[in-house]
């Protein structure tokens, strides 16, 4: 379920924020809360666009091939994923996660190791989501019939994708 993957990733991000507060890096926690709001809203709205385009299908294993049919949604979803993974120097997620990881490195090395491992897990499951849902061939009739969502749905995606990257240049 595409929304379930995103919901579980929210829990890991909340874990980062709580960890930051616990190691007295509340500024880093608030910064990550702020950046997380943009890229997670982008990902949830993007998943809604995908579900809408696939005729209410939520199972990623019944999707596939959506990148060609939904290029705007695909690009914005990739930007949101990059921010969630913390791709260096171009996403807001990098700067906010870096602040938390730096604080953990200086105060609790074990927490730094655990948080770094979580970064790798996040990268794995989000890359898998992109590959399964957007790349390859159609895996169902609903995916084969999918097309880009209307302007009213993709415009917020573009605005949030911009914020997920513009905030990075302001960090």
């Amino acid at each position: 379920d595409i929304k379930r993957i995103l919901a579980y990733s929210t829990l890991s991000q909340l874990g980062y924020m709580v960890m930051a507060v616990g190691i007295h890096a509340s500024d880093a926690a608030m910064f990550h809360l702020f950046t997380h709001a943009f890229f997670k809203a982008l990902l949830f709205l993007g998943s809604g666009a995908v579900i809408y385009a696939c005729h209410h299908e939520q199972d990623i294993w019944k999707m596939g091939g959506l990148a060609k049919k939904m290029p705007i949604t695909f690009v914005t979803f990739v930007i949101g994923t990059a921010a969630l993974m913390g791709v260096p120097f171009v996403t807001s997620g990098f700067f906010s996660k870096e602040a938390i990881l730096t604080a953990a490195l200086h105060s609790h090395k074990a927490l730094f190791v655990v948080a770094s491992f979580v970064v790798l897990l996040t990268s794995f499951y989000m890359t898998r989501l992109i590959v399964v849902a957007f790349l390859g061939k159609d895996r169902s009739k609903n995916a084969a019939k999918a097309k880009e969502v209307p302007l009213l749905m993709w415009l917020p995606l573009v605005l949030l994708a911009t914020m997920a990257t513009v905030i990075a240049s302001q960090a």
Side-chain angles (χ1 to χ4, degrees):
D1 184 321
I2 190 169
K3 291 188 301 183
R4 188 173 292 156
I5 293 168
L6 297 176
Y8 286 135
S9 78
T10 299
L11 294 176
S12 73
Q13 300 309 301
L14 290 171
Y16 272 112
M17 294 173 223
V18 170
M19 180 187 76
V21 170
I23 59 174
H24 306 290
S26 55
D27 288 347
M30 287 304 295
F31 182 38
H32 191 59
L33 177 65
F34 179 74
T35 61
H36 179 259
F38 289 108
F39 59 76
K40 194 49 71 92
L42 169 58
L43 289 169
F44 270 110
L45 287 175
S47 72
V50 167
I51 292 166
Y52 175 83
C54 290
H55 307 281
H56 305 284
E57 180 60 63
Q58 295 185 43
D59 184 352
I60 64 171
W61 299 106
K62 293 181 182 175
M63 295 177 185
L66 298 177
K68 293 176 187 170
K69 296 177 179 85
M70 305 176 70
I72 297 168
T73 302
F74 172 65
V75 169
T76 58
F77 204 90
V78 167
I79 291 169
T81 298
L84 177 61
M85 292 184 334
V87 172
F89 307 113
V90 293
T91 64
S92 59
F94 167 74
F95 292 103
S96 61
K97 281 186 178 183
E98 179 198 31
I100 293 171
L101 289 170
T102 300
L105 179 64
H106 293 301
S107 63
H108 292 60
K109 305 253 189 283
L111 289 177
F112 172 78
V113 171
V114 170
S116 297
F117 180 69
V118 172
V119 169
L120 294 174
L121 285 178
T122 301
S123 298
F124 169 75
Y125 65 73
M126 289 306 295
T127 300
R128 185 184 79 153
L129 172 59
I130 294 282
V131 169
V132 172
F134 288 97
L135 305 179
K137 295 183 179 184
D138 309 332
R139 293 187 190 89
S140 71
K141 290 180 182 179
N142 289 338
K145 294 177 187 177
K147 61 182 181 181
E148 187 64 77
V149 293
L151 171 72
L152 188 62
M153 290 179 78
W154 66 253
L155 184 59
L157 299 177
V158 172
L159 295 173
L160 287 167
T162 302
M163 292 306 292
T165 54
V166 168
I167 291 172
S169 68
Q170 304 301 314

